[in-house]
Short mmCIF file of all heavy atoms in Angstrom, two decimals:
data_model
loop_
_atom_site.label_atom_id
_atom_site.label_comp_id
_atom_site.label_asym_id
_atom_site.label_seq_id
_atom_site.Cartn_x
_atom_site.Cartn_y
_atom_site.Cartn_z
N ARG A 27 16.23 -10.28 9.05
CA ARG A 27 16.52 -9.29 7.92
C ARG A 27 16.40 -9.92 6.65
O ARG A 27 16.99 -11.08 6.34
CB ARG A 27 17.87 -8.72 8.09
CG ARG A 27 18.32 -7.65 7.11
CD ARG A 27 19.67 -7.07 7.47
NE ARG A 27 20.03 -6.11 6.47
CZ ARG A 27 21.14 -6.45 5.68
NH1 ARG A 27 21.83 -7.56 5.81
NH2 ARG A 27 21.59 -5.55 4.74
N VAL A 28 15.49 -9.46 5.77
CA VAL A 28 15.20 -10.10 4.50
C VAL A 28 15.27 -9.08 3.43
O VAL A 28 14.79 -7.97 3.52
CB VAL A 28 13.69 -10.63 4.55
CG1 VAL A 28 13.30 -11.20 3.13
CG2 VAL A 28 13.61 -11.91 5.47
N LEU A 29 15.89 -9.57 2.26
CA LEU A 29 15.88 -8.73 1.06
C LEU A 29 14.82 -9.13 0.08
O LEU A 29 14.68 -10.33 -0.27
CB LEU A 29 17.24 -8.86 0.38
CG LEU A 29 17.42 -8.06 -0.99
CD1 LEU A 29 17.49 -6.55 -0.63
CD2 LEU A 29 18.69 -8.51 -1.71
N LEU A 30 13.96 -8.20 -0.26
CA LEU A 30 12.89 -8.42 -1.19
C LEU A 30 13.37 -8.02 -2.57
O LEU A 30 13.73 -6.91 -2.76
CB LEU A 30 11.62 -7.58 -0.78
CG LEU A 30 10.47 -7.57 -1.91
CD1 LEU A 30 9.93 -9.07 -2.15
CD2 LEU A 30 9.33 -6.70 -1.37
N PHE A 31 13.41 -8.95 -3.51
CA PHE A 31 14.07 -8.62 -4.84
C PHE A 31 13.03 -8.88 -5.89
O PHE A 31 12.87 -9.87 -6.50
CB PHE A 31 15.20 -9.60 -4.98
CG PHE A 31 16.36 -9.19 -5.97
CD1 PHE A 31 17.63 -9.54 -5.85
CD2 PHE A 31 15.91 -8.43 -7.05
CE1 PHE A 31 18.55 -9.06 -6.63
CE2 PHE A 31 16.93 -7.96 -7.96
CZ PHE A 31 18.19 -8.29 -7.78
N PRO A 32 12.13 -7.81 -6.16
CA PRO A 32 11.15 -7.89 -7.19
C PRO A 32 11.82 -8.21 -8.58
O PRO A 32 12.70 -7.49 -8.93
CB PRO A 32 10.48 -6.54 -7.18
CG PRO A 32 10.71 -5.89 -5.76
CD PRO A 32 12.13 -6.44 -5.53
N GLN A 33 11.29 -9.19 -9.26
CA GLN A 33 11.75 -9.45 -10.58
C GLN A 33 11.08 -8.63 -11.70
O GLN A 33 10.63 -9.16 -12.66
CB GLN A 33 11.66 -10.93 -10.82
CG GLN A 33 12.46 -11.87 -9.83
CD GLN A 33 13.96 -11.45 -9.87
OE1 GLN A 33 14.60 -11.82 -10.80
NE2 GLN A 33 14.46 -10.87 -8.87
N TYR A 34 11.23 -7.40 -11.48
CA TYR A 34 10.72 -6.35 -12.38
C TYR A 34 11.74 -5.20 -12.54
O TYR A 34 12.01 -4.56 -11.57
CB TYR A 34 9.33 -5.73 -12.00
CG TYR A 34 8.27 -6.82 -11.79
CD1 TYR A 34 7.95 -7.05 -10.44
CD2 TYR A 34 7.56 -7.37 -12.78
CE1 TYR A 34 6.91 -7.97 -10.11
CE2 TYR A 34 6.49 -8.28 -12.51
CZ TYR A 34 6.26 -8.63 -11.25
OH TYR A 34 5.24 -9.52 -11.02
N PRO A 35 12.44 -5.06 -13.71
CA PRO A 35 13.36 -4.04 -13.83
C PRO A 35 12.90 -2.63 -13.70
O PRO A 35 13.57 -1.67 -13.25
CB PRO A 35 14.03 -4.23 -15.20
CG PRO A 35 13.70 -5.76 -15.50
CD PRO A 35 12.30 -5.91 -14.93
N HIS A 36 11.60 -2.46 -14.05
CA HIS A 36 11.03 -1.11 -14.15
C HIS A 36 9.87 -0.98 -13.12
O HIS A 36 9.15 -1.98 -12.81
CB HIS A 36 10.43 -0.89 -15.52
CG HIS A 36 11.34 -1.33 -16.61
ND1 HIS A 36 11.37 -2.56 -17.13
CD2 HIS A 36 12.25 -0.61 -17.27
CE1 HIS A 36 12.29 -2.65 -18.17
NE2 HIS A 36 12.77 -1.46 -18.23
N TYR A 37 9.64 0.27 -12.61
CA TYR A 37 8.61 0.58 -11.78
C TYR A 37 7.28 0.54 -12.51
O TYR A 37 7.18 1.21 -13.57
CB TYR A 37 8.79 1.85 -11.04
CG TYR A 37 7.54 2.35 -10.26
CD1 TYR A 37 7.35 1.93 -8.88
CD2 TYR A 37 6.57 3.04 -10.87
CE1 TYR A 37 6.15 2.36 -8.23
CE2 TYR A 37 5.44 3.43 -10.28
CZ TYR A 37 5.26 3.10 -8.93
OH TYR A 37 4.13 3.43 -8.20
N ALA A 38 6.35 -0.03 -11.96
CA ALA A 38 4.86 0.06 -12.45
C ALA A 38 3.97 -0.20 -11.38
O ALA A 38 4.24 -1.12 -10.53
CB ALA A 38 4.53 -0.85 -13.70
N MET A 39 2.84 0.48 -11.18
CA MET A 39 1.99 0.29 -10.13
C MET A 39 1.37 -1.22 -10.14
O MET A 39 1.21 -1.85 -9.11
CB MET A 39 0.83 1.28 -10.11
CG MET A 39 1.08 2.67 -9.89
SD MET A 39 -0.34 3.82 -9.79
CE MET A 39 -1.02 3.63 -11.42
N SER A 40 1.25 -1.70 -11.32
CA SER A 40 0.72 -3.02 -11.58
C SER A 40 1.66 -4.14 -11.38
O SER A 40 1.20 -5.35 -11.28
CB SER A 40 0.07 -3.19 -12.93
OG SER A 40 1.01 -2.89 -13.95
N SER A 41 2.88 -3.85 -11.16
CA SER A 41 3.93 -4.87 -11.01
C SER A 41 4.80 -4.65 -9.79
O SER A 41 4.57 -5.16 -8.69
CB SER A 41 4.73 -5.04 -12.23
OG SER A 41 5.40 -3.87 -12.59
N TRP A 42 5.82 -3.84 -9.91
CA TRP A 42 6.77 -3.56 -8.81
C TRP A 42 6.05 -3.11 -7.56
O TRP A 42 6.31 -3.65 -6.52
CB TRP A 42 7.91 -2.60 -9.33
CG TRP A 42 9.00 -2.45 -8.39
CD1 TRP A 42 10.20 -3.14 -8.48
CD2 TRP A 42 9.13 -1.67 -7.20
NE1 TRP A 42 10.97 -2.81 -7.33
CE2 TRP A 42 10.45 -1.82 -6.57
CE3 TRP A 42 8.28 -0.58 -6.59
CZ2 TRP A 42 10.75 -1.17 -5.53
CZ3 TRP A 42 8.65 0.00 -5.49
CH2 TRP A 42 9.94 -0.21 -4.94
N GLU A 43 5.28 -2.06 -7.71
CA GLU A 43 4.61 -1.47 -6.53
C GLU A 43 3.75 -2.53 -5.87
O GLU A 43 3.68 -2.66 -4.57
CB GLU A 43 3.84 -0.25 -6.87
CG GLU A 43 3.23 0.40 -5.67
CD GLU A 43 2.39 1.66 -6.01
OE1 GLU A 43 3.08 2.68 -6.50
OE2 GLU A 43 1.21 1.73 -5.63
N THR A 44 2.90 -3.26 -6.60
CA THR A 44 1.99 -4.17 -6.15
C THR A 44 2.75 -5.12 -5.31
O THR A 44 2.27 -5.60 -4.19
CB THR A 44 1.24 -4.83 -7.25
OG1 THR A 44 0.48 -3.92 -7.95
CG2 THR A 44 0.35 -6.01 -6.69
N VAL A 45 3.80 -5.74 -5.78
CA VAL A 45 4.68 -6.77 -5.07
C VAL A 45 5.24 -6.24 -3.70
O VAL A 45 5.09 -6.82 -2.73
CB VAL A 45 5.75 -7.30 -5.95
CG1 VAL A 45 6.80 -8.16 -5.08
CG2 VAL A 45 5.27 -8.15 -7.06
N VAL A 46 5.76 -5.04 -3.79
CA VAL A 46 6.41 -4.48 -2.62
C VAL A 46 5.30 -4.12 -1.56
O VAL A 46 5.55 -4.46 -0.34
CB VAL A 46 7.19 -3.18 -2.95
CG1 VAL A 46 7.81 -2.53 -1.65
CG2 VAL A 46 8.41 -3.64 -3.93
N VAL A 47 4.26 -3.48 -1.90
CA VAL A 47 3.25 -3.06 -1.00
C VAL A 47 2.54 -4.28 -0.35
O VAL A 47 2.42 -4.42 0.88
CB VAL A 47 2.20 -2.22 -1.61
CG1 VAL A 47 0.95 -1.98 -0.72
CG2 VAL A 47 2.73 -0.87 -2.08
N LYS A 48 2.30 -5.34 -1.16
CA LYS A 48 1.72 -6.52 -0.68
C LYS A 48 2.56 -7.29 0.35
O LYS A 48 2.14 -7.78 1.42
CB LYS A 48 1.46 -7.53 -1.80
CG LYS A 48 0.97 -8.99 -1.47
CD LYS A 48 -0.41 -8.81 -0.81
CE LYS A 48 -1.04 -10.29 -0.57
NZ LYS A 48 -2.32 -10.23 0.10
N THR A 49 3.84 -7.41 0.05
CA THR A 49 4.81 -8.05 0.84
C THR A 49 4.97 -7.38 2.21
O THR A 49 5.07 -7.93 3.27
CB THR A 49 6.12 -8.19 0.18
OG1 THR A 49 5.94 -8.89 -1.11
CG2 THR A 49 7.10 -9.05 1.02
N ARG A 50 5.09 -6.00 2.12
CA ARG A 50 5.19 -5.27 3.36
C ARG A 50 4.00 -5.44 4.27
O ARG A 50 4.08 -5.50 5.54
CB ARG A 50 5.50 -3.87 3.13
CG ARG A 50 6.88 -3.63 2.49
CD ARG A 50 7.24 -2.14 2.38
NE ARG A 50 8.54 -2.02 1.90
CZ ARG A 50 9.70 -2.12 2.58
NH1 ARG A 50 9.68 -2.52 3.82
NH2 ARG A 50 10.91 -1.94 1.99
N LYS A 51 2.79 -5.40 3.68
CA LYS A 51 1.52 -5.42 4.48
C LYS A 51 1.53 -6.91 5.07
O LYS A 51 1.16 -7.05 6.28
CB LYS A 51 0.30 -5.34 3.51
CG LYS A 51 0.07 -3.83 3.24
CD LYS A 51 -1.19 -3.67 2.42
CE LYS A 51 -1.45 -2.25 2.13
NZ LYS A 51 -2.73 -2.05 1.27
N VAL A 52 1.87 -7.92 4.36
CA VAL A 52 1.85 -9.23 4.90
C VAL A 52 2.90 -9.36 6.02
O VAL A 52 2.64 -10.05 7.03
CB VAL A 52 2.02 -10.28 3.86
CG1 VAL A 52 2.24 -11.71 4.35
CG2 VAL A 52 0.98 -10.30 2.75
N ALA A 53 4.13 -8.86 5.81
CA ALA A 53 5.22 -8.93 6.84
C ALA A 53 4.67 -8.20 8.08
O ALA A 53 5.00 -8.79 9.17
CB ALA A 53 6.36 -8.26 6.24
N GLU A 54 3.96 -7.19 8.09
CA GLU A 54 3.48 -6.39 9.24
C GLU A 54 2.60 -7.38 10.07
O GLU A 54 2.50 -7.42 11.26
CB GLU A 54 2.67 -5.18 8.90
CG GLU A 54 3.77 -4.16 8.37
CD GLU A 54 2.92 -2.84 7.88
OE1 GLU A 54 1.61 -2.97 7.92
OE2 GLU A 54 3.56 -1.91 7.38
N GLN A 55 1.87 -8.29 9.33
CA GLN A 55 0.89 -9.15 10.04
C GLN A 55 1.47 -10.51 10.48
O GLN A 55 1.31 -10.85 11.67
CB GLN A 55 -0.20 -9.53 9.04
CG GLN A 55 -1.00 -8.34 8.65
CD GLN A 55 -1.94 -8.81 7.42
OE1 GLN A 55 -1.96 -9.86 6.86
NE2 GLN A 55 -2.72 -7.79 6.95
N VAL A 56 2.43 -11.05 9.82
CA VAL A 56 2.95 -12.37 10.15
C VAL A 56 4.33 -12.36 10.77
O VAL A 56 4.78 -13.31 11.42
CB VAL A 56 2.83 -13.43 8.98
CG1 VAL A 56 1.53 -13.43 8.38
CG2 VAL A 56 3.88 -13.00 7.87
N ALA A 57 5.06 -11.22 10.48
CA ALA A 57 6.50 -11.09 10.97
C ALA A 57 6.89 -9.71 11.31
O ALA A 57 7.64 -9.10 10.70
CB ALA A 57 7.46 -11.68 9.93
N PRO A 58 6.10 -9.11 12.26
CA PRO A 58 6.17 -7.72 12.58
C PRO A 58 7.73 -7.16 12.96
O PRO A 58 7.96 -6.10 12.89
CB PRO A 58 5.13 -7.43 13.60
CG PRO A 58 5.02 -8.79 14.36
CD PRO A 58 5.11 -9.80 13.21
N ASN A 59 8.49 -8.15 13.48
CA ASN A 59 9.76 -7.76 13.91
C ASN A 59 10.79 -7.94 12.81
O ASN A 59 11.97 -7.65 13.05
CB ASN A 59 10.15 -8.58 15.16
CG ASN A 59 9.29 -8.27 16.32
OD1 ASN A 59 8.88 -7.09 16.59
ND2 ASN A 59 8.91 -9.31 17.15
N MET A 60 10.47 -8.43 11.65
CA MET A 60 11.35 -8.64 10.56
C MET A 60 11.66 -7.28 9.82
O MET A 60 10.77 -6.43 9.62
CB MET A 60 10.68 -9.64 9.60
CG MET A 60 11.62 -9.89 8.37
SD MET A 60 10.82 -11.16 7.21
CE MET A 60 10.94 -12.62 8.37
N LYS A 61 12.96 -7.14 9.54
CA LYS A 61 13.40 -5.94 8.77
C LYS A 61 13.44 -6.38 7.34
O LYS A 61 14.09 -7.21 6.84
CB LYS A 61 14.82 -5.48 9.17
CG LYS A 61 15.20 -4.28 8.50
CD LYS A 61 16.66 -3.76 8.99
CE LYS A 61 17.11 -2.53 8.36
NZ LYS A 61 18.49 -2.18 8.70
N LEU A 62 12.53 -5.62 6.66
CA LEU A 62 12.32 -6.00 5.14
C LEU A 62 12.89 -4.92 4.28
O LEU A 62 12.41 -3.69 4.38
CB LEU A 62 10.87 -6.26 4.82
CG LEU A 62 10.53 -6.75 3.47
CD1 LEU A 62 11.03 -8.08 3.28
CD2 LEU A 62 8.95 -6.73 3.29
#
Side-chain angles (χ1 to χ4, degrees):
R27 181 171 174 253
V28 171
L29 178 65
L30 173 61
F31 205 146
Q33 296 301 290
Y34 304 103
H36 313 88
Y37 170 91
M39 292 187 297
S40 56
S41 57
W42 190 92
E43 182 180 303
T44 297
V45 167
V46 173
V47 171
K48 173 68 173 179
T49 304
R50 291 192 178 281
K51 285 184 177 179
V52 173
E54 290 174 1
Q55 298 169 355
V56 304
N59 296 321
M60 181 178 289
K61 184 179 181 182
L62 189 65

